[in-house]
Amino acid sequence: MRIIDADAKQAMKHVILYLTPQEAGELRDFTDALLRDDAYLAYGAHDHVYDEHYEHEITLIVHGKDSIDKSLDDQFQKIILEDE
């Protein structure tokens, strides 16, 4: 698991999410869909959950242990690989 502050482009060790039931449901539905489709995981996948005003965003990225999406920002790839 890597938690990244996208604005600062740095790793975080702890985060608290306050979600509405609808937002939590969207996150659950995406995760459930990924876990049902192993082929999807081979390519990596991501989705976004926004608040009702599109002011706050959670991006969930699922990747294989040995595969990282090379289209990700170089700093994000480093954080994922090295947890720094």
Side-chain angles (χ1 to χ4, degrees), residues 50-65:
Y50 300 95
D51 69 0
E52 62 182 309
H53 302 291
Y54 290 87
E55 294 175 355
H56 302 91
E57 172 187 2
I58 297 170
T59 302
L60 177 66
I61 301 172
V62 178
H63 61 85
K65 288 183 179 180

Side-chain angles (χ1 to χ4, degrees), residues 9-71:
K9 293 188 178 182
Q10 65 184 19
M12 299 171 60
K13 297 294 182 186
H14 181 154
V15 66
I16 298 172
L17 301 176
Y18 290 91
L19 304 175
T20 65
Q22 179 181 349
E23 293 161 351
E26 289 178 37
L27 202 55
R28 178 206 56 223
D29 292 347
F30 173 69
T31 304
D32 286 347
L34 282 175
L35 294 174
R36 284 192 302 269
D37 189 355
D38 290 337
Y40 199 33
L41 288 176
Y43 299 103
H46 78 280
D47 202 359
H48 307 269
V49 176
Y50 300 95
D51 69 0
E52 62 182 309
H53 302 291
Y54 290 87
E55 294 175 355
H56 302 91
E57 172 187 2
I58 297 170
T59 302
L60 177 66
I61 301 172
V62 178
H63 61 85
K65 288 183 179 180
D66 299 321
S67 64
I68 293 178
D69 183 349
K70 297 300 182 190
S71 70

